[in-house]
Amino acid sequence: MKILDKYLLKTFLITFTTVFVILFFIFILQTVWLFISELAGKDLDLILVVKFLLFSMPRIIPLVLPLSVLLASIMTFGNLAENYEFAAMKSSGISLQRAMRVLIAFIFVLSIVAFWFANNVIPFAEYKFVNFRKNIAQAKPAMAIAEGQFNDVGTYNIKVNKKSGENGNILTGVTIHEKATNVGENKTVIKAKNGKLISNEKSSILKLVLNDGYYYQDVTPKKYEDRAKLPFVKASFKKQIINIDLSELNKVDDNQEISSTNGMLNVNELRYTLDSLNKNLDNEILSFSENINQRVGFKKQPPVVIKNLKKKKSLPNNLLSLYDNKQKLDILKMATSNVTSNIYSIEATQKELKDKQRDINKHLTALYEKFVIAFACFLMFFIGAPLGAIIRKGGLGLPIVFAVLIFITFHFINTFGKRLSQEGGMTPFMGSWMSSFILLPLAVLLTYRATNDNGLINFDAITTPISQLFQKISERFTPAQKQ
């Protein structure tokens, strides 16, 4: 390896590593902010918090890596151009493509590593992350309840004055409001002097043992005038056990797109799952079509040869004229009922088929995203390197502005394409690759202009025709003014 290649590679690696670490730290802070409600005020020890962050870190890489490549490329080549090092290289006969050769090889290796990471590490971390969020209360049940405030735990709102014990499972001053499952249902309040939390990591049930307390429940009188008195039932107890379903605690929100399993699968598993989902969808469509045909009377009948067919009187155009009014009403009611039932069945099945197709689109998008992240590294490099050579600015000023604008455009188009493809607005392939296809001409244009020593925009091509137009207008009116 020549001295120039070593110098360029060393410069790029230092810049890339610095930018990657800074951006990774920023995105980690964003993750903490998104899930702050699951971490703050719940007495989580340092190990659980570190595990939470470790499992959430890999899913940040697809965002950080392309942005780091883009910003590092702009800064590296911008510094070289700003310090006239490119001018020295070009005077020695070294072109931009020759200077980029060793970095292209590095980006190629980085793309392979990015694909392997997206195919193996991210699915494993996603699986651990989702399960850790669901089981975090089982690892430490006392974290479900914070002191001095009402905590939403399953079907209960629980407040305790103080927690003690080695794991914080000894409770003092317990107040429980049981949620009403139906509108107008009687409200229930339980108060106890103390209690204890008992759980098992293999079970999703959290047992709350209450001691020395009272049980209050509103009673709704049958007479309306008695309801203003607000009667209630009161009972005391020495010991009462309440079972709480932990599956409702830290429930994963569907809007965060991590409740589905497509993010936990690698390429081979996604292909196998897609094959099963497509076969299931085809069988569902075939089964429903046969079922609806039978319901409306369209049955495949074998051909029957009828001999000595006698001519019968032709049927009238209005078949209902053959029946009396009562029979007509019965026939119309039956037809209306059948049509309504078939329409309802078709609409329900259509919604179910759309949901299955949406699930297939999500799996296809997850499959293509593993390849998009590898290509994005190449794309951002071929945008950033020539752009840095053109603008001739290094440091953290102008390069950050260009990098943020380009990456926001890339990320917005990518997110828009994925959302649209999942809803069936376009194919999952186009939705996943749309951002790359749109920015690819920009990479080609910037590389061409940087290679030919042209600026970012040829202002002469814009200003020259305008100046010529004004010159012609001035020449045309000047003689008339003199006369």
Side-chain angles (χ1 to χ4, degrees), residues 150-420:
F150 279 98
N151 304 269
D152 189 0
V153 183
T155 58
Y156 300 95
N157 281 319
I158 304 176
K159 177 184 176 182
V160 298
N161 295 333
K162 186 179 180 181
K163 293 194 302 182
S164 58
E166 183 179 356
N167 296 319
N169 59 335
I170 306 299
L171 311 178
T172 305
V174 183
T175 303
I176 301 175
H177 290 180
E178 187 174 358
K179 298 177 184 177
T181 55
N182 298 316
V183 178
E185 190 177 26
N186 295 337
K187 298 178 181 178
T188 302
V189 178
I190 302 173
K191 295 181 69 70
K193 291 184 178 180
N194 55 71
K196 184 177 182 181
L197 290 170
I198 302 174
S199 68
N200 186 354
E201 293 188 7
K202 297 181 180 180
S203 174
S204 61
I205 301 299
L206 176 64
K207 184 183 294 185
L208 176 57
V209 181
L210 301 176
N211 302 313
D212 297 330
Y214 293 90
Y215 176 92
Y216 304 89
Q217 186 175 29
D218 292 343
V219 177
T220 304
K222 294 182 180 179
K223 295 182 179 180
Y224 182 79
E225 56 271 15
D226 294 337
R227 296 183 182 180
K229 299 178 182 179
L230 301 176
F232 64 92
V233 174
K234 177 181 178 181
S236 61
F237 59 85
K238 289 294 182 182
K239 183 178 181 180
Q240 183 174 351
I241 299 176
I242 297 177
N243 293 321
I244 301 172
D245 187 6
L246 290 177
S247 61
E248 296 296 323
L249 187 66
N250 288 331
K251 188 175 181 180
V252 179
D253 188 3
D254 292 338
N255 295 329
Q256 295 175 356
E257 293 186 355
I258 59 177
S259 59
S260 181
T261 59
N262 56 74
M264 308 176 193
L265 306 177
N266 57 32
V267 171
N268 293 330
E269 292 169 343
L270 283 170
R271 288 176 176 172
Y272 179 82
T273 305
L274 282 168
D275 184 62
S276 301
L277 292 175
N278 284 316
K279 287 182 180 178
N280 186 22
L281 180 62
D282 294 339
N283 292 334
E284 188 77 17
I285 294 174
L286 181 61
S287 175
F288 176 73
S289 61
E290 293 177 352
N291 183 32
I292 202 69
N293 286 338
Q294 291 178 359
R295 293 179 62 177
V296 299
F298 295 140
K299 300 180 180 179
K300 293 182 179 180
Q301 299 290 348
V304 179
V305 179
I306 304 176
K307 297 181 179 180
N308 300 324
L309 181 64
K310 296 181 180 180
K311 293 184 178 180
K312 294 184 179 180
K313 187 177 180 180
S314 60
L315 295 174
N317 293 331
N318 187 7
L319 294 177
L320 291 176
S321 63
L322 299 176
Y323 304 95
D324 57 26
N325 291 334
K326 184 177 182 304
Q327 291 174 331
K328 289 179 182 179
L329 183 61
D330 293 338
I331 291 172
L332 291 175
K333 285 182 178 180
M334 184 181 299
T336 303
S337 177
N338 288 335
V339 170
T340 304
S341 176
N342 289 331
I343 290 176
Y344 178 78
S345 177
I346 290 172
E347 290 178 350
T349 306
Q350 186 180 23
K351 183 179 182 301
E352 183 180 352
L353 293 178
K354 283 184 177 179
D355 291 338
K356 290 186 176 182
Q357 185 61 52
R358 188 180 294 109
D359 192 27
I360 292 175
N361 292 340
K362 288 182 179 180
H363 281 76
L364 283 171
T365 302
L367 175 64
Y368 295 136
E369 279 296 307
K370 300 182 186 302
F371 298 92
V372 170
I373 183 177
F375 182 77
C377 295
F378 262 107
L379 182 64
M380 293 302 165
F381 176 75
F382 279 99
I383 291 176
L387 182 61
I390 291 173
I391 63 176
R392 299 177 182 177
K393 290 290 182 181
L396 295 174
L398 192 60
I400 287 183
V401 175
F402 279 102
V404 169
L405 289 176
I406 294 171
F407 183 76
I408 287 177
T409 304
F410 176 82
H411 184 63
F412 173 78
I413 298 173
N414 190 33
T415 303
F416 175 77
K418 288 193 296 183
R419 295 285 186 181
L420 195 61

Side-chain angles (χ1 to χ4, degrees), residues 2 32 54 63 73 99 109 118 133 155 182 263 363 370 386 414 426:
K2 295 185 178 181
V32 174
L54 284 177
L63 290 173
S73 302
V109 175
R133 288 184 62 195
T155 58
N182 298 316
H363 281 76
K370 300 182 186 302
N414 190 33
M426 64 172 59

Side-chain angles (χ1 to χ4, degrees), residues 42 105 127 316 329 442 479:
K42 293 188 177 179
Y127 171 79
L329 183 61
L442 177 62

